[in-house]
């Protein structure tokens, strides 16, 4: 049991350097851990292969190796934003607990920002702070009211799959009402136990 715990802690500490990964909308390029402290994970130029993204019924999906983090989304309507000053807040910062997946609905038109409209090319930048440093990843989008998110996109919180975060999004995931007492809630308990172990080891370190 003790050996198992140490092996488990080792593997979790290993992924801690992985920070967070943007899963959806797809980032500008392959994740680069060392560059994530910088503007757009080091991808300073807009891409031309923009993702068509729902104007008001989108989702943002990440994986996080930090179980407790602050997250927000900033947006720019420039074709090629080059500075944080070219961005404004699209999703206010919030604090959450979720190791593994984190996925939430987003309405980019909710703040009525100028230029955030049908057909617009925008860049969204994820701002993540899991306790080490502020981290950034960007996605280049074309906003379309009629765009839909593919059911292939992973959309989970923690390691537990649940229903789609909004009625407008089809994730193809099973209904959250069907999970009581089954394997998925068991795995959630296991994760809670694992995090407890990690917490106590960090406290010793
Ligand atoms: C755009 O192209 C780059 C380079 O091929 C690729 O790494 C990236 O994943 C693509 N992005 C999207 C949203 O398809
Ligand atoms: C970004 O674009 C500029 C202007 O086209 C180019 O000089 C520069 O090399 C590009 N940077 C990267 C990292 O691709
Ligand atoms: C949006 O970006 C695409 C791909 O870079 C480009 O072809 C298109 O002209 C842009 N649209 C506008 C309105 O600038
Ligand atoms: C984008 O940011 C750069 C650097 O701060 C600034 O020089 C430029 O004027 C900004 N562009 C717009 C359109 O605000
Ligand atoms: C998104 O926000 C806009 C502006 O407040 C609102 O009109 C629209 O109903 C919202 N859409 C959704 C899906 O919540
Ligand atoms: C994840 O949690 C957020 C709130 O913390 C919630 O808005 C979202 O719907 C949840 N996602 C899933 C897939 O259940
Ligand atoms: Cu980190």
């Amino acid at each position: 049991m003790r050996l198992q715990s140490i092996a488990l802690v080792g593997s979790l500490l290993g992924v801690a350097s992985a920070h967070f990964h943007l899963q959806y909308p797809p980032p500008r390029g392959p994740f680069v851990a060392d560059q994530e402290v910088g503007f757009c994970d080091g991808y300073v130029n807009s891409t031309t292969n923009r993702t068509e993204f729902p104007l008001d019924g989108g989702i943002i999906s990440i994986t996080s190796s930090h179980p407790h983090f602050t997250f927000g989304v900033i947006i720019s309507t420039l074709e090629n934003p080059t500075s944080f000053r070219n961005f404004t807040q699209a999703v206010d910062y919030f604090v959450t607990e979720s190791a593994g997946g984190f996925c939430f609905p987003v309405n980019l038109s909710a703040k009525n920002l100028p230029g955030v409209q049908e057909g617009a090319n925008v860049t969204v930048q994820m701002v993540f702070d899991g306790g080490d440093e502020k981290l950034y990843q960007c996605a280049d989008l074309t906003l379309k009211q009629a765009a839909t998110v593919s059911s292939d996109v992973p959309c989970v919180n923690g390691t537990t799959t649940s229903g789609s975060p909004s009625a407008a999004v089809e994730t193809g995931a099973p209904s959250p009402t069907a999970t009581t007492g089954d394997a998925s809630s068991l795995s959630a308990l296991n994760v809670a136990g694992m995090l407890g172990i990690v917490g106590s080891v960090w406290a010793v370190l």
Side-chain angles (χ1 to χ4, degrees):
M1 179 58 190
R2 192 189 176 95
L3 281 175
Q4 273 176 349
S5 301
I6 289 166
L8 188 57
V9 167
S11 64
L12 287 176
L13 288 178
V15 296
S17 62
H19 299 321
F20 88 100
H21 291 213
L22 178 60
Q23 303 292 324
Y24 191 85
R28 286 184 167 180
F31 172 73
V32 185
D34 291 348
Q35 291 181 175
E36 209 177 22
V37 293
F39 183 82
C40 290
D41 190 26
Y43 291 93
V44 295
N45 290 329
S46 290
T47 58
T48 51
N49 53 348
R50 293 172 178 274
T51 300
E52 290 200 354
F53 190 83
L55 186 57
D56 71 358
I59 61 166
I60 288 174
S61 182
I62 66 166
T63 57
S64 171
S65 55
H66 297 276
H68 177 90
F69 56 86
T70 302
F71 196 87
V73 183
I74 54 179
I75 192 169
S76 175
T77 56
L78 300 184
E79 286 292 316
N80 189 27
T82 55
S83 147
F84 286 107
R85 276 170 283 175
N86 297 149
F87 287 78
T88 50
Q89 201 75 33
V91 175
D92 291 338
Y93 292 105
F94 59 90
V95 178
T96 192
E97 311 273 341
S98 195
F102 185 69
C103 176
F104 64 98
V106 63
N107 180 354
L108 290 178
S109 58
K111 285 186 182 284
N112 295 309
L113 297 170
V116 177
Q117 62 199 34
E118 177 70 15
N121 284 345
V122 302
T123 299
V124 284
Q125 183 155 205
M126 315 301 139
V127 184
F128 175 103
D129 189 343
D132 43 13
E133 288 171 278
K134 275 198 185 131
L135 304 169
Y136 307 97
Q137 278 198 278
C138 287
D140 299 310
L141 312 176
T142 300
L143 300 178
K144 289 273 167 70
Q145 188 73 55
T148 54
V149 179
S150 163
S151 60
D152 296 339
V153 170
C155 185
V156 300
N157 284 357
T159 54
T160 320
T161 50
S162 71
S164 58
S166 100
V169 179
E170 292 171 13
T171 61
S175 158
T177 55
T179 57
T180 314
D182 73 3
S184 55
S185 44
L186 279 178
S187 68
L189 277 175
N190 289 341
V191 168
M194 281 155 52
L195 295 175
I197 292 164
V198 172
S200 52
V201 168
W202 282 82
V204 169
L205 294 176

